[in-house]
């Protein structure tokens, strides 16, 4: 593969880099101003794909409170990704310890309910960390503390370092949509991919001895299933506030292209890992800080430098644009950005069949 | 580990990978559990992939996940929990078992300018299927063999269980103690057929039906006081129509997950969203301005904002004159409204001039205020009008010649102005901690917005003086005329007070029409022996209320002056034992009085654990029922995706079969009918089954044997689903195809459902000028009841709460807010949910408070006061105010080492003003009616101390490790 792609085809719109050999790239925009940390996405994903069989501890989709350590704990400090924009040399990474994920706790329901145990219903073998351990904690001091929620799936990166890490080439990126998968036949569970992914979105299954990861619900977007209906990934479709837009990055008429490339209000998480994620975020705004006399101040609550750490310097212009666009609608003017972020027209939320004619 | 990544620049990294596949030493990898020689040799024969980016040749395996995305059938259902969600789901069945669920996402849109209503749901609904097949599922009738609560059971047959219960019921009714039989089940809207199942039998038995909305302190007493209405709210879609929203103690993003979208997206529609919370809550994070008053000072803050609106002339004068009691004259000598009958020469055609009130017009003449109770036929009378043919003065101070001499009079408005003068900016800052400028600015913005709305929640409704707080906050929408239009109003979303299809539900649940309803707060308080430990003034008022019959109490006092104890309790669809305030007294005093506690449940909850007989109920995916909420205007069904698991049966079938068993045994024993001591009816146990399954409207025998027929009965007999003036009608099968919007509203609503518009209340009063169902026929901020005058609460005012625990001893305010991870106690014990928390009960502590006590995140702590102590895990929450402890709601007793729970720290306390009847003699405005008016079970004034438990350095395993 080339280190710098010019796009997958002559039709690729301006500003969109597809990995070489990829016809189209699925993508998601998640609006953090609509994320309420309810984890319906997490559960929807889990009931679809990761129940039992060594998968219980896995959260292909998880939601983290930020600032926070996340899941697995302190994943941002574990390396992975690429050393440079050339995507030539991978950044070394670490494999998370079991404790950094937390075990999928089991509970003693039966003994308590039916066998007269006087133990409390609590995780057997104790609990030290879990996928949402630091929920709602954030940082700062009352009344100027701050936190927000960050949902995460596999980014189905344009330059996936997990794919490069696999010595067996058991991970690959699909030609038709850029989804990154672990071949469950070919994988032998070496876990180089787990180590190589800077987002720690590949998981090792100690029962099957395979690594597994988010599959962008490809059976759903392909229209598999008894009803033959094309459906968005369940994390998106089941999201109560509908904070996710799903489509193709190279769909010039779609909302994702507009939010990412035209208005530049959707930004990547940790762009410095250089894997070029295809999940983008509308960065969060928050109510202003309070003075010691209980007055609302004209100062931002979430420190910009923290947001820059997460989303890179692009976050500043994104937030400024959002503020400008919000002011417009407050004055009664039209704003395409605001329209794109509301669900007045749900038909635009998921554009998964735009390239079907090809 | 970078060895296998080394490569030469010319060939790129593909070369590195190919080298590796040739068998280079990957075993040097660090941090990865190594793979053995066998695997290495296997790799040497592996087929080469040229480039896994884009051209991967071995994709047949992908069918693996495609095959997982498969099911055999689907059924539409929802969740019968005490939740306002009412979200329609599709339940997926594979190999005869429930596999998973997904939001149906097919609510039809009624207004294209609003966000799409789909999908409604949350993470809890998304894993209800766990309960269908879970460990905690109850599969067989169980009889207690150990002590209550021990978890020692004997499996018995249905026949044994029903026989034992039936015998107890028969003995109780024969002894004429039928009003010692109680049925507790909350919230009909979440599943009215299941609600009706037991209520119908209890009603036929002459037993007692319990209130819930007041008991759970979900009822905002200020609404019946001021608006004469139980509450009426806009559906959540209407939030999007607002220009300005204040979320006041309503943690929408946690407790209204399916509705949150309208609040969140309003940000992109030009709406300003203000949050008023005592912590930087999960909703505060998504507001445009957050205000953080000291806990329990919301009344002062609201009155401070009201003062700004009044002082700066930002109020809606026309609204106040026509729609409120502000221009009514009040006598200075008695504190009572000036009655028309007080004023010689003032004439009215009203039947009862002593219930008619007086205004003064611009010419200085006294005028009769139209629409007061004196000319109405009962509380609600749409044939009268409050519309004025004169212009009253808001401000009047003068003397009136009355039948008993001259009297000084002033308007309510004058009195209100005096009261508001106390709430200066300096005072507001001192009392609430909210900035002097900030609260004034918010008040101005609210008043100046075209359409402003307050979303009012449990955070402000659980305080002892909740009625005052309600009235103060309501005053803001009244002063600014924000009522009766889309995007306006005060929406109180706490619990589900009422059901759209009211009439059908009511006659299904209470076929005799003679209902023994009881305020559960008073019933619990009395029978748990709390009255004996109440301060003498309050106790005297409680006794007076009972004696005067203002509040009913059962079993009723007998002719000889004795009052029996309650003896039989049925609990279904609820968790009374776990959720009771005054939990310690309930367990120690009330519970031992009960001879038989029957719990009907799909899971073992704390009430089931403390019952004598547990009957296995069908899960939500195994029955027919209906689902509604006042958060939206749709109705949709439960339908069975699978048959009831094990020996479980639907609620309807369980109570039907119990009725059959009672009838069978009573017939065998030739039990004579028992006359009812209160109602003109006989309780005939030999026909109780026939009466249960008979359609009392048509007289058809056996018509209501099945739950689906009962659901159809409700739809058939309700104005909302079968309007009287059209041929349109909603049927069960239609709503199974797709949720349908309700067609009309009955007279328990205050507006109509209109095409293309979100439902918004109060139009019948504000637009149609029908009298408000209050004493005065107007929004009534002045209550001239003797007790209100005596307690200095005729107008909304800010008062300190009674001291339950001394601050010096118990320095921390204790609060039990509704959390994200459960709907009350349902899902509290769910493994999936627990894994996304810390697996056990936690308290949120401010870092400063924790540090002072040497507590670190994850430590085991005890939270205690004079009532009890509970052992839980500490979680550090920087967004809480120092001096507060949050212990999220509804952890089950069996999740604590000593079987106490979050409610063990909460005493029961009742406020006398919520036990009144008004007018005192006739009670049309305020009278006990279940869930409309009665004492609220408040719980937020409690104080505690927290201490680290020695050796509690972290989570202790449930198995003691």
């Amino acid at each position: 593969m080339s280190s710098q792609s010019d796009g997958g085809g002559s039709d690729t719109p301006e500003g969109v880099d597809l990995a070489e050999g990829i016809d189209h790239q699925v993508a998601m925009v998640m609006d953090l101003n609509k994320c309420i940390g309810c984890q319906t996405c997490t559960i929807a994903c889990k009931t679809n794909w990761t129940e039992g069989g060594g998968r219980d501890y896995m959260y292909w989709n998880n939601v983290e409170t930020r600032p926070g350590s996340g899941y697995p704990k302190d994943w941002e400090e574990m390396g992975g990704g690429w050393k440079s924009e050339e995507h030539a040399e991978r950044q070394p990474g670490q494999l998370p310890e079991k404790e950094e994920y937390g075990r999928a706790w089991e509970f003693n329901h039966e003994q308590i309910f039916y066998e007269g145990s006087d133990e409390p219903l609590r995780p057997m073998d104790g609990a030290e960390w879990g996928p949402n351990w630091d929920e709602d904690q954030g940082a700062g001091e009352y009344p100027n503390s701050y936190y927000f929620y960050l949902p995460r799936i596999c980014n189905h990166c344009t330059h996936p370092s997990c794919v490069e890490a696999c010595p067996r080439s058991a991970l690959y990126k699909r030609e038709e949509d850029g989804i990154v998968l672990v071949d469950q036949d070919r994988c032998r569970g070496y876990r180089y991919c787990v180590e190589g992914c800077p987002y720690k979105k590949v998981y090792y299954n100690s029962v099957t001895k395979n690594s597994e990861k988010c599959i962008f619900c490809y059976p759903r977007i392909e229209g598999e299933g008894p009803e033959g209906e094309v459906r968005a990934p369940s994390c998106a479709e089941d999201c109560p506030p509908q904070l996710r837009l799903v489509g193709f990055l190279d769909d010039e008429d779609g909302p994702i292209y507009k939010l990412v490339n035209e208005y530049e209000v959707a930004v990547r998480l940790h762009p410095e890992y250089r894997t070029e994620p295809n999940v983008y975020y509308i960065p969060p705004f928050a109510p202003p800080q309070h003075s010691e006399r209980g007055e609302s101040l004209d100062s931002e609550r979430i420190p910009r430098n923290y947001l820059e750490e997460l989303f890179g310097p692009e976050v500043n212009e994104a937030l400024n644009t959002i503020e400008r666009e919000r002011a417009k609608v407050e004055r009664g003017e039209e704003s395409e950005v605001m329209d794109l972020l509301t669900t007045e027209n749900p038909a635009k939320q998921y554009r998964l069949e735009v390239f079907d004619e090809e | 580990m970078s060895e296998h990544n080394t490569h030469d620049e010319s060939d790129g990294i593909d070369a590195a990978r190919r080298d590796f596949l040739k068998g280079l030493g990957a075993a040097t990898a660090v941090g990865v559990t190594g793979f053995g020689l066998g695997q290495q040799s296997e790799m040497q024969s592996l087929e080469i992939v040229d480039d896994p980016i884009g051209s991967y040749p071995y994709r047949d395996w992908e069918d693996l996940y495609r095959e997982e995305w498969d099911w055999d059938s689907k059924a539409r259902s929802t969740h019968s929990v005490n939740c306002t969600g009412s979200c329609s789901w599709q339940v997926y069945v594979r190999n005869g078992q429930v596999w998973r669920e997904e939001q149906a996402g097919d609510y039809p849109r009624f207004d294209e300018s609003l966000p799409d209503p789909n999908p409604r749901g949350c993470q809890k609904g998304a894993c209800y299927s766990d309960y269908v097949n879970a460990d905690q599922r109850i599969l067989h009738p169980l009889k207690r063999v150990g002590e209550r609560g021990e978890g020692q059971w004997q499996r018995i047959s249905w026949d044994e269980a029903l026989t034992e219960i039936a015998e107890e019921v028969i003995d109780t009714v024969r002894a004429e103690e039928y009003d010692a039989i109680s049925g507790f089940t909350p919230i009909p809207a979440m599943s009215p057929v299941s609600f009706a199942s037991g209520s119908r039998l209890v009603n036929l038995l002459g037993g007692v039906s319990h209130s819930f909305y007041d008991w759970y302190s979900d009822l905002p007493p200020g609404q019946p006081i001021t608006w004469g209405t139980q509450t009426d709210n806009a559906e959540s879609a209407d939030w999007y129509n607002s220009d300005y929203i204040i979320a006041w103690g309503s943690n929408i993003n946690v407790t209204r997950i399916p509705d949150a979208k309208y609040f969140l997206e309003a940000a992109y529609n030009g709406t300003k969203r203000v949050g008023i919370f005592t912590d930087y809550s999960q909703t505060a994070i998504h507001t445009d301005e957050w205000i953080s008053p000291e806990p329990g000072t919301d009344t002062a803050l609201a009155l401070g904002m009201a003062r700004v609106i009044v002082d700066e002339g930002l109020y809606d004068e026309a609204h106040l004159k026509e729609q409120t009691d502000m221009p009514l004259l009040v006598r200075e000598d008695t504190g009572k409204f000036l009655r028309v009958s007080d004023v010689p020469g003032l004439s009215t055609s009203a039947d009862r001039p002593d219930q008619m009130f007086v205004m003064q017009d611009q010419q200085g003449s006294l005028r009769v205020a139209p629409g007061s109770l004196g000319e109405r036929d009962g509380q609600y009378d749409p044939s009268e009008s409050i519309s004025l043919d004169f212009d009253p003065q808001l401000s009047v101070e003068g003397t009136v010649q009355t039948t008993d001499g001259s009297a000084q009079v002033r308007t309510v408005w004058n009195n209100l102005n005096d009261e508001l003068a106390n709430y200066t900016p300096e005072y507001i800052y001192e009392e609430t901690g909210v900035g002097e400028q900030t609260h004034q600015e918010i008040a101005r913005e609210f008043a100046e917005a075209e359409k402003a709305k307050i979303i009012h929640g449990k955070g402000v409704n659980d305080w002892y003086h909740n009625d005052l707080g309600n009235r103060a906050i309501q005053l803001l929408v009244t002063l600014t005329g924000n009522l009766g239009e889309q995007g306006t109003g005060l929406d109180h979303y706490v619990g589900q007070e009422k059901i759209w299809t009211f009439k059908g539900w009511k006659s299904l649940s209470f076929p005799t029409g003679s209902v023994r309803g009881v305020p559960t707060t008073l019933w619990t308080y009395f029978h748990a022996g709390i009255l004996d430990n109440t301060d003498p003034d309050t106790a005297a008022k409680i006794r007076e209320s009972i004696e005067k019959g203002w509040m009913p109490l059962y079993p009723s006092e007998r002719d000889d002056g004795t009052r029996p104890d309650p003896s039989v309790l049925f609990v279904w669809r609820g968790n009374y034992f776990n959720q009771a305030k005054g939990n310690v007294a309930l367990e120690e005093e009330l519970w031992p009085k009960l001879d038989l506690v029957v719990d009907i449940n799909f899971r073992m909850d704390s009430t089931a654990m403390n019952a004598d007989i547990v009957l296995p109920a069908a899960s939500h995916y195994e029955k027919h029922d209906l689902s509604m909420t006042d958060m939206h205007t749709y109705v949709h069904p439960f339908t069975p995706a699978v048959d009831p698991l094990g020996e479980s049966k639907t609620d309807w079938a369980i109570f039907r079969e119990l009725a059959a068993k009672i009838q069978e045994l009573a017939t065998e024993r030739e039990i004579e009918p028992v006359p009812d001591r209160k109602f003109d009816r006989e309780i005939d146990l030999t026909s109780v089954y026939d009466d249960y399954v008979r359609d009392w409207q048509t007289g058809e025998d056996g018509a209501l044997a099945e739950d689906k027929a009962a659901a159809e009965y409700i739809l058939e007999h309700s104005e909302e689903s079968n309007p009287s003036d059209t041929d349109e009608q909603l049927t069960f099968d239609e709503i199974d195809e797709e949720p349908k919007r309700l067609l009309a509203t009955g007279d328990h609503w205050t507006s109509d459902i209109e095409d293309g518009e979100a439902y918004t209340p109060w139009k019948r009063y504000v637009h149609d000028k029908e009298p408000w169902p209050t004493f005065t026929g107007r929004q009534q901020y002045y209550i001239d009841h003797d007790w209100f005058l005596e307690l200095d609460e005729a107008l909304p005012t800010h008062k300190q709460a009674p001291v339950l625990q001394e601050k010096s001893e118990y320095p921390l305010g204790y609060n039990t807010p509704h959390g994200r991870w459960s709907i009350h106690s349902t899902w509290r014990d769910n493994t999936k949910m627990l894994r996304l928390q810390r697996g056990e009960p936690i308290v949120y502590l401010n870092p400063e408070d924790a540090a002072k006590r040497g507590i670190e995140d994850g430590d085991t702590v005890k939270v205690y006061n004079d009532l009890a102590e509970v052992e839980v895990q500490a979680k550090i929450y920087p967004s809480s105010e120092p001096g507060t402890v949050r212990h999220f709601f509804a952890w089950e007793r069996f999740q604590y080492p000593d079987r106490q729970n979050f409610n063990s720290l909460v005493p029961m306390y009742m406020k006398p003003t919520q036990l009144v009847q008004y007018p005192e003699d006739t009670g049309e405005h305020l009278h006990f009616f279940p869930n409309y008016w009665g004492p609220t079970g408040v719980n937020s004034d409690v104080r505690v101390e927290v201490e680290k438990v020695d050796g509690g350095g972290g989570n202790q395993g449930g198995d003691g490790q």
Side-chain angles (χ1 to χ4, degrees), chain B residues 392-581:
Chain B
Q393 295 186 44
L394 269 184
S395 182
V396 176
E397 294 191 60
T399 310
V400 173
Q401 289 308 315
T402 70
T403 49
D404 55 348
S406 79
Q408 295 287 320
V409 294
R410 313 174 79 212
T411 57
V412 172
W413 179 250
N414 291 124
N415 286 333
L416 179 71
N417 273 261
D418 285 0
E419 173 66 27
L420 294 181
N422 298 318
Y423 302 91
T424 61
E426 303 75 38
Y427 171 78
I428 295 305
Y429 172 66
E430 289 304 319
E431 183 66 14
T432 71
V434 177
E436 293 181 20
Q437 300 308 317
T438 295
H439 84 269
Q440 295 190 65
E441 194 53 33
I442 299 282
R444 286 178 202 119
E445 289 174 0
F446 184 82
E448 284 164 0
E450 197 178 328
K451 292 174 168 188
K453 181 190 277 295
I454 294 171
I455 299 174
H456 182 268
K458 205 158 176 65
V460 284
N461 206 54
D462 280 359
W463 302 90
Y464 180 80
H465 289 301
N466 57 1
D467 46 0
L468 294 172
N470 298 156
R471 292 162 74 196
I473 296 171
Q474 286 169 261
L475 183 60
L476 297 174
V477 293
T478 299
L479 286 173
T480 54
N482 274 302
L483 290 162
E485 301 280 347
Q486 287 206 308
T488 69
L490 181 144
D491 297 332
H492 174 81
Y493 303 112
V494 184
Q496 291 226 57
E497 74 282 21
K498 55 189 173 188
I499 174 173
W500 286 103
T501 55
F502 181 77
K503 290 206 170 118
W505 157 74
K506 191 177 166 193
S507 61
L508 183 71
S509 300
F510 309 107
T512 70
S514 302
V515 187
R516 280 194 170 77
V518 74
T520 301
T521 313
L522 178 62
W523 185 86
T524 307
Y525 198 98
F526 187 89
H527 293 299
I530 298 170
L531 194 53
D532 304 329
N533 299 315
T534 303
D535 74 84
D537 291 348
T538 303
K541 284 212 155 41
I542 293 170
R543 293 207 166 89
E544 185 181 338
S545 173
I546 296 169
E547 276 158 27
K548 284 184 162 158
W550 288 354
M551 288 291 145
L553 180 65
Y554 295 107
S556 61
E557 195 174 281
R558 305 305 191 226
D559 291 340
D560 63 359
T562 62
R563 187 191 293 275
D565 289 335
S567 64
V568 179
L569 176 64
F570 292 97
V571 180
W572 70 107
R573 302 163 65 256
N575 192 359
Y576 172 74
F577 190 74
N578 199 65
Q579 305 299 94
K581 269 75 67 168

Side-chain angles (χ1 to χ4, degrees), chain A residues 74-125:
Chain A
D74 298 326
W75 59 268
E76 288 157 296
E77 294 165 23
M78 293 180 183
W82 299 97
K83 282 188 170 170
S84 75
E85 298 297 337
E86 278 67 51
H87 305 108
E89 193 176 346
R90 290 198 304 110
Q91 185 73 32
Q94 288 169 20
L95 198 61
E97 304 288 334
K98 271 185 191 169
E99 294 70 32
E100 287 159 336
Y101 293 106
R103 292 167 301 102
W105 313 316
E106 297 295 338
F107 294 85
N108 44 348
H109 290 101
E110 254 184 278
Q111 293 97 302
I112 290 166
F113 294 147
Y114 301 113
E115 294 162 20
S117 163
D118 59 2
E119 290 291 333
L121 181 87
R122 292 192 175 180
M124 294 192 279
D125 308 321

Side-chain angles (χ1 to χ4, degrees), chain A residues 1 22 31-40 43 48-49 51 55 88 90 95 104-107 109 112-114 116-123 125-127 131-133 135-137 140 142-143 145 147 149 163-164 167-169 171-176 181-186 188 190-192 195 212 218 220 222 224-227 231 237-238 240-242 287-288 290 293-296 301 326 329 338 341-344 346, chain B residues 1 4-5 7 13-14 17 20-21 26 29 31-33 35 42-43 46-47 49 51-52 54 56 58-59 61-62 65-66 69-71 74 92 100 102-103 109 115-116 119 121-123 136-137 150-151 153 240 253 264-265 267-268 278 280-282 284 286-290 292 429 435-438 604 609 820-821 829 831-832 834-836 838-840 844 857 871 875-881 894-895 897 899 955 957-959 961:
Chain A
M1 64 179 271
I22 302 299
D31 181 354
L32 299 186
N33 294 301
K34 285 165 73 175
C35 186
I36 56 176
C38 72
Q39 309 255 14
T40 308
I43 297 300
N48 265 292
W49 308 118
E51 287 199 87
R55 295 162 167 174
R90 290 198 304 110
L95 198 61
W105 313 316
E106 297 295 338
F107 294 85
H109 290 101
I112 290 166
F113 294 147
Y114 301 113
S117 163
D118 59 2
E119 290 291 333
L121 181 87
R122 292 192 175 180
D125 308 321
N132 199 24
W133 192 262
E135 180 185 25
D136 293 347
Q137 290 182 282
Y142 184 91
S145 57
Y147 63 96
Y149 303 110
V163 171
E164 292 300 328
R168 289 177 65 88
S169 292
L171 286 90
Y172 61 98
K173 195 166 174 63
R174 303 210 306 187
E175 178 183 13
E176 66 270 32
L181 296 174
V182 182
D183 181 336
Q184 293 296 299
D185 286 345
R186 193 173 172 98
R188 288 294 177 274
Y190 304 156
R191 284 167 274 178
Y192 290 104
E195 165 267 315
E212 296 183 45
Y218 68 78
R220 292 172 60 112
E222 289 170 352
E224 287 291 326
E227 289 158 8
R231 291 161 80 159
E237 196 163 280
D238 294 12
Q242 291 288 288
H290 293 180
R293 299 277 303 174
E295 306 287 6
S296 293
R301 180 172 289 269
R326 285 194 69 197
V329 292
M338 297 293 101
L341 295 177
T342 60
T343 58
E344 281 174 43
Chain B
M1 53 168 286
H4 65 275
N5 263 342
H7 58 282
I13 62 165
D14 285 351
R17 187 167 49 243
F20 182 80
L21 288 179
V32 179
T33 27
F35 38 86
E42 182 191 323
M43 286 185 63
L46 191 66
E47 290 187 66
V49 174
D51 188 347
Y56 188 79
Y58 312 115
R59 292 180 48 182
W61 77 273
E62 286 179 15
Y65 288 119
R66 293 191 185 103
W69 180 236
D70 190 27
W71 57 93
K74 292 197 300 190
Y92 291 66
R100 62 186 287 276
E102 188 160 333
Q103 293 102 315
R109 297 183 81 177
D116 185 46
C122 74
Q123 85 280 36
Q136 53 268 60
R137 183 74 194 269
E150 266 191 354
W153 304 99
Y240 199 72
N253 292 349
L264 299 163
E265 291 194 7
Y268 299 137
T278 57
Y280 183 54
S281 71
Q282 299 81 1
H286 289 313
T287 59
D288 302 304
E289 190 163 355
W290 166 53
S292 53
Y429 172 66
E436 293 181 20
Q437 300 308 317
T438 295
M604 285 306 258
M609 289 286 281
R820 160 186 290 145
W821 295 107
D829 61 339
T831 298
K832 271 202 195 86
L834 287 168
R835 285 175 180 166
L836 290 170
R838 292 192 178 183
E840 64 176 31
Y844 279 33
D857 189 82
E871 200 174 295
K875 174 161 165 144
I876 304 303
Y877 179 49
S879 290
S880 62
E881 194 189 6
F894 51 75
Q895 293 177 288
R899 299 297 191 263
N955 184 307
D959 56 358
Q961 288 179 14

Side-chain angles (χ1 to χ4, degrees), chain B residues 108-119:
Chain B
R109 297 183 81 177
F110 57 81
D111 181 349
E112 298 290 324
S113 71
L114 299 179
D116 185 46
N118 297 297

Side-chain angles (χ1 to χ4, degrees), chain B residues 241-358:
Chain B
N241 291 320
S242 292
D243 300 305
Y244 202 91
I245 304 178
I246 299 179
W248 203 319
S250 180
N251 200 0
I252 298 159
N253 292 349
V254 160
T255 61
R256 300 289 177 279
I257 289 171
D259 308 289
K261 179 164 60 169
Y262 297 110
F263 186 75
L264 299 163
E265 291 194 7
Y268 299 137
N269 192 38
T271 306
K272 176 163 179 179
R273 303 160 306 160
V274 174
I276 303 183
F277 298 100
T278 57
D279 63 333
Y280 183 54
S281 71
Q282 299 81 1
T283 301
I285 67 169
H286 289 313
T287 59
D288 302 304
E289 190 163 355
W290 166 53
I291 303 180
S292 53
E294 294 287 326
T297 65
D298 304 275
T299 311
L301 178 61
L303 293 173
M305 290 166 65
R307 187 200 59 79
V308 174
I309 291 166
V310 169
D311 278 9
E312 299 185 7
L314 302 174
Y315 53 87
D316 181 340
E317 188 172 327
H319 185 86
L320 294 180
K321 285 178 171 175
E322 181 188 77
Q323 296 283 324
T324 77
D325 62 348
M326 294 301 160
L328 296 180
L329 299 177
V330 176
R331 294 174 63 137
E332 291 276 276
D333 53 352
T334 59
K336 299 272 181 180
F337 283 113
L338 183 69
R339 267 51 172 194
V340 170
S341 55
D342 288 346
V343 186
L346 194 58
S347 71
T348 171
S349 57
D351 296 341
R352 295 179 303 282
D354 60 326
Q355 294 189 334
M356 297 298 290
F357 304 99
V358 184

Side-chain angles (χ1 to χ4, degrees), chain B residues 321-323 359 368-371 375 384-390 765-771 777-778:
Chain B
K321 285 178 171 175
E322 181 188 77
Q323 296 283 324
M359 296 176 176
V368 177
E375 63 182 7
E384 293 295 332
S385 171
I386 52 172
S387 128
L388 298 170
D389 57 4
F390 60 93
Y765 313 132
V766 176
H767 292 279
D768 305 343
K769 319 292 184 201
E770 291 173 14
R778 292 146 210 289

